Amino acid sequence: MYDLIIIGAGPAGTSAAITSAVAGARVLLLERGILPRHKVCGEFVSPESLGLLLSLLPAVSTKLLHEAPHISAARLFVDDRVLNSAINPPAASIARFDLDATLWKAAQNLGVETRPQTTVQSISNNGPFQIAGTFQARAIIDASGRWSNLNASPNGKQRSNWLGLKAHFAESSPPPSVDLYFFDGGYCGVQPVALTSENHSDKTSRDRINVCAMVRADVASTLPEVLSRHASLSRRSKEWRSLTTPITTSPLIFRHPQPLRGNILLAGDAAGFIDPFVGDGISLALRSGTLAAQSLFPFLKEKLELEKTAASYRTQYETQLLPVFKSSSKVRRLFTLPRIMRVPLMLLFQNGPALTQYLVRKTR
Ligand SMILES: Cc1cc2nc3c(=O)[nH]c(=O)nc-3n(C[C@H](O)[C@H](O)[C@H](O)COP(=O)(O)OP(=O)(O)OC[C@H]3O[C@@H](n4cnc5c(N)ncnc54)[C@H](O)[C@@H]3O)c2cc1C
């Protein structure tokens, strides 16, 4: 009988595992895939995420954070206009290939038992829990991501035609900014990124960029199609050299966050998926993973029943994390307006830099 089983080794699952292991819990972390692996993500690591990562990772692993390219500006390319804004304190750009594997290793070093290539098909009972007749635990955190077999809509009614695409390319001397190109039916982000795990020469890693898009399936389904949707992006991409095979993910579904399923605590995207455009997904995953683990402490110390512990997590999730989801959907609507309404709005932003600064603060 484990104290805690965590399903999924993204930032939510590993942050929960690290937090619980530090507090002395006996933890099992189950992951469907194998780490390291590439993942569809803009790889924009917000200043807030950097602070959280510094507190979760041992000093030896923070090299990854210190050596990552700093992103000190945002450039929003909307139609033929460019809105510029500083990002202060700067964010970082860290390949998920490195980030997720570093967190996984940190959990292992703290005594978390890890099982890669283990897909959880179902969970029995409502505490103590049973998984596949093999593993038993007093508590469970489901951190299996946005659309796993465990949290997909049971009636299949939630449809979405949005998909995510990503690949790394080589570009000579990319600027230290996150560049977001907007077009009808989607947007594409470009930023420099380093990859430390693979044996690249210095030059290649300095010249590596991550290109990641969220797009409606009827607008584009491949990266070349995405790149052709915006004139400046299309020109810029002509000199790129492909470094990784493009990967895709779908569906991208935005639903009201749900931090609980019975007495199972949900963390990260499994609880709620925020528009990637705001660059807060990793930070929300780290925050909710940590919060879920901390909420379980009184239960694991036999001071509170599981049901009350779960209810307390829900309350804290709703007060601390729900507001972030609300502001992001407002900002997203600004950019998905039809062109005829977008143009005067962009003029307004262009003539009022303080407005742009506000927008970027709200999104990045
Ligand atoms: C197009 C796009 C761009 C994005 N850009 C950014 C960005 O720039 N910055 C940012 O902060 N966020 C970004 N995000 C969001 C960010 O990627 C997510 O919010 C973040 O990965 C959530 O972490 P998580 O741990 O909840 O889930 P995940 O990272 O998805 O991890 C879930 C893990 O669970 C495993 N799993 C699933 N089902 C099972 C099962 N049944 N059994 C065992 N294991 C299972 C999966 O293999 C996976 O490893 C982006 C998202 C998309 C789609």
Side-chain angles (χ1 to χ4, degrees):
M1 173 75 75
Y2 292 91
D3 288 324
L4 173 64
I5 293 180
I6 298 167
I7 305 162
T14 47
S15 59
I18 291 169
T19 309
S20 317
V22 167
R26 188 168 173 236
V27 185
L28 173 66
L29 177 58
L30 303 174
E31 164 56 44
R32 183 175 59 187
I34 303 183
L35 292 136
R37 44 103 179 92
H38 285 289
K39 177 147 186 104
V40 175
C41 182
E43 304 186 328
F44 177 93
V45 180
S46 66
E48 185 191 31
S49 303
L50 286 172
L52 295 165
L53 288 166
L54 276 172
S55 63
L56 287 164
L57 291 171
V60 62
S61 308
T62 57
K63 189 168 165 267
L64 177 73
L65 312 181
H66 298 306
E67 291 184 357
H70 281 189
I71 305 293
S72 52
R75 298 191 297 174
L76 311 187
F77 295 77
V78 189
D79 303 316
D80 52 356
R81 291 169 211 286
V82 189
L83 306 176
N84 292 287
S85 177
I87 297 181
N88 192 13
S93 184
I94 305 176
R96 292 293 295 272
F97 192 87
D98 290 333
L99 181 65
D100 292 15
T102 304
L103 285 161
W104 168 263
K105 195 153 271 171
Q108 283 175 328
N109 290 341
L110 286 165
V112 172
E113 203 178 309
T114 52
R115 302 250 177 153
Q117 291 186 289
T118 307
T119 303
V120 175
Q121 300 295 356
S122 62
I123 304 163
S124 320
N125 309 334
N126 205 22
F129 301 90
Q130 175 103 22
I131 291 181
T134 317
F135 309 115
Q136 289 182 329
R138 296 174 61 206
I140 294 220
I141 296 179
D142 176 357
S144 62
R146 201 183 69 242
W147 191 246
S148 84
N149 54 315
L150 295 173
N151 54 36
S153 165
N155 52 17
K157 268 191 185 151
Q158 279 161 312
R159 291 184 201 271
S160 155
N161 55 356
W162 289 94
L163 61 124
L165 305 100
K166 168 238 176 106
H168 285 179
F169 292 85
E171 180 188 71
S172 60
S173 308
S177 53
V178 51
D179 296 338
L180 295 167
Y181 296 85
F182 292 87
F183 47 84
D184 283 333
Y187 57 87
C188 180
V190 180
Q191 64 182 43
V193 72
L195 195 57
T196 57
S197 312
E198 283 175 1
N199 204 9
H200 289 288
S201 70
D202 270 345
K203 183 160 184 348
T204 312
S205 43
R206 259 204 313 276
D207 289 350
R208 179 176 278 260
I209 52 170
N210 181 31
V211 177
C212 183
M214 176 171 140
V215 67
R216 273 203 338 253
D218 58 319
V219 169
S221 58
T222 65
L223 265 183
E225 281 169 9
V226 166
L227 301 178
S228 70
R229 303 303 300 184
H230 192 288
S232 327
L233 180 61
S234 170
R235 277 194 300 277
R236 179 175 174 178
S237 62
K238 293 274 183 287
E239 62 141 311
W240 292 350
R241 185 167 49 82
S242 167
L243 294 177
T244 61
T245 310
I247 48 173
T248 58
T249 184
S250 67
L252 304 184
I253 289 176
F254 305 98
R255 51 188 172 192
H256 189 75
Q258 289 291 353
L260 293 182
R261 194 172 60 243
N263 284 337
I264 298 171
L265 279 59
L266 308 185
D269 284 1
F273 178 55
I274 192 158
D275 191 324
F277 162 56
V278 301
D280 256 342
I282 296 170
S283 148
L284 278 168
L286 296 170
R287 283 176 71 185
S288 56
T290 307
L291 185 65
Q294 287 169 343
S295 305
L296 284 168
F297 291 170
F299 166 70
L300 296 179
K301 288 183 186 148
E302 296 181 356
K303 291 186 177 156
L304 198 65
E305 293 154 30
L306 182 57
E307 204 170 341
K308 289 189 178 146
T309 300
S312 132
Y313 172 60
R314 179 198 288 279
T315 309
Q316 292 184 71
Y317 185 98
E318 287 175 353
T319 35
Q320 295 178 30
L321 306 182
L322 211 51
V324 189
F325 286 88
K326 289 187 178 150
S327 62
S328 84
S329 61
K330 282 187 200 141
V331 175
R332 173 159 47 106
R333 263 179 247 139
L334 266 185
F335 288 99
T336 46
L337 288 171
R339 190 181 148 82
I340 195 158
M341 290 161 77
R342 219 161 48 202
V343 170
L345 207 68
M346 287 311 126
L347 263 175
L348 191 71
F349 278 113
Q350 211 172 24
N351 295 331
L355 267 180
T356 309
Q357 189 75 40
Y358 171 79
L359 189 70
V360 170
R361 254 204 333 269
K362 280 277 168 207
T363 56
R364 294 272 117 195

